[in-house]
Amino acid sequence: MGRIDRHFAGVVQTAIRLVYPPRCLACGGLVDSDFGLCGDCWRDTPFIGGTVCDACGVPLPGGQGEAAARCDQCLSHPPPWNRGRAVMLYAGTARRLVMQLKHGDRQDIAAPAARWLAEAAQGLTRPDMLIAPVPLHRWRLLGRGYNQSALLTRRLGPHLGLRDIPDLLQRPRATPSLDGKSRTERQGILAEAIRVTPRHAGAVAGRPVLLVDDVMTSGATFSAATGALLAAGSGPVTVLALARVGKAL
């Protein structure tokens, strides 16, 4: 791009910002840059940091840098996946962002969320790893118009330099909402509800997989998806959630 072209592009960008100034993702207030959060919303977003469970990403008491720590739940009931992380706790502004992404057609949230996910995934990925979203049943996908987890993986792949296969998994059987259900109930509902898409069986064989979803609650959905991948002969599975139900410390 020549000097004149760059100058013209800068003028256009400045004009756009004057007409459409950057807005906070959560509340719509003015911010310094696109896809940012204002100070109040940032403070109300419970980003996860410090020591976390290496399996599910829930915050743990302790100092920075403690390796391979596990929460009591994951020690007593080890999940089928290998490691896991989450960006933030499902509360405050984090919950509003997830709900807007999931039900409010706020697909613009996927871009900044993918950057946050990429940061949370540091140290978890391998060069031969595949990325896959937790799937939706076709009727739910038709009603919503998009799979919010697939929006996240499509943006996340380039950040991590990994191959995203948005339809690696499929949900051939419709399941009711899991809201308000116990862990056991969720596991029963999801039994055999997720499988590897037959045409991708060869691609997944022996390959590690980074499995992405918007929210981790009990871990039942991640467990069902992990079970499907392992049954198809995948390598170890790592899970990554935008938000994690759990208690702040």
Side-chain angles (χ1 to χ4, degrees):
M1 181 182 292
R3 182 183 302 174
I4 294 177
D5 291 336
R6 287 196 296 271
H7 174 72
F8 178 74
V11 170
V12 171
Q13 187 65 33
T14 300
I16 290 174
R17 287 184 176 277
L18 289 174
V19 178
Y20 302 105
R23 298 282 180 174
C24 173
L25 281 172
C27 72
L30 294 175
V31 291
D32 293 332
S33 60
D34 291 322
F35 308 121
L37 294 170
C38 69
D40 289 342
C41 288
W42 182 272
R43 286 188 291 272
D44 192 44
T45 303
F47 287 101
I48 296 174
T51 302
V52 300
C53 174
D54 193 53
C56 73
V58 73
L60 295 175
Q64 297 279 347
E66 187 176 339
R70 296 245 168 168
C71 67
D72 291 343
Q73 179 65 44
C74 289
L75 286 172
S76 60
H77 297 88
W81 61 83
N82 190 34
R83 303 178 71 188
R85 292 291 187 275
V87 172
M88 48 198 174
L89 293 173
Y90 188 58
T93 298
R95 185 179 186 279
R96 293 199 302 275
L97 288 172
V98 170
M99 293 298 289
Q100 289 169 2
L101 171 65
K102 191 170 185 174
H103 299 296
D105 199 22
R106 286 287 310 280
Q107 298 186 38
D108 58 301
I109 293 173
R115 292 199 297 269
W116 300 335
L117 286 164
E119 292 179 9
Q122 292 298 313
L124 299 181
T125 62
R126 292 168 35 177
D128 60 339
M129 184 174 266
L130 302 174
I131 303 179
V134 167
L136 292 179
H137 184 265
R138 62 182 180 275
W139 293 121
R140 188 162 294 175
L141 180 61
L142 182 63
R144 188 172 300 167
Y146 59 91
N147 178 356
Q148 69 279 357
S149 298
L151 293 179
L152 295 173
T153 61
R154 185 171 66 198
R155 298 279 191 166
L156 179 60
H159 283 294
L160 298 178
L162 301 177
R163 179 187 175 193
D164 166 37
I165 305 181
D167 61 341
L168 182 65
L169 294 168
Q170 59 183 201
R171 213 159 180 157
R173 180 166 62 82
T175 55
S177 171
L178 301 180
D179 291 345
K181 300 291 194 299
S182 68
R183 175 185 294 270
T184 301
E185 290 172 331
R186 287 168 179 258
Q187 290 173 340
I189 290 170
L190 290 168
E192 299 182 359
I194 299 175
R195 69 183 182 191
V196 170
T197 304
R199 66 190 181 90
H200 291 312
V204 78
R207 296 283 291 275
V209 179
L210 180 62
L211 189 59
V212 178
D213 204 2
D214 56 339
V215 180
M216 182 194 298
T217 304
S218 69
T221 303
F222 272 133
S223 291
T226 299
L229 288 165
L230 295 176
S234 78
V237 177
T238 298
V239 303
L240 184 62
L242 181 58
R244 173 76 170 87
V245 174
K247 296 181 179 179
L249 298 175

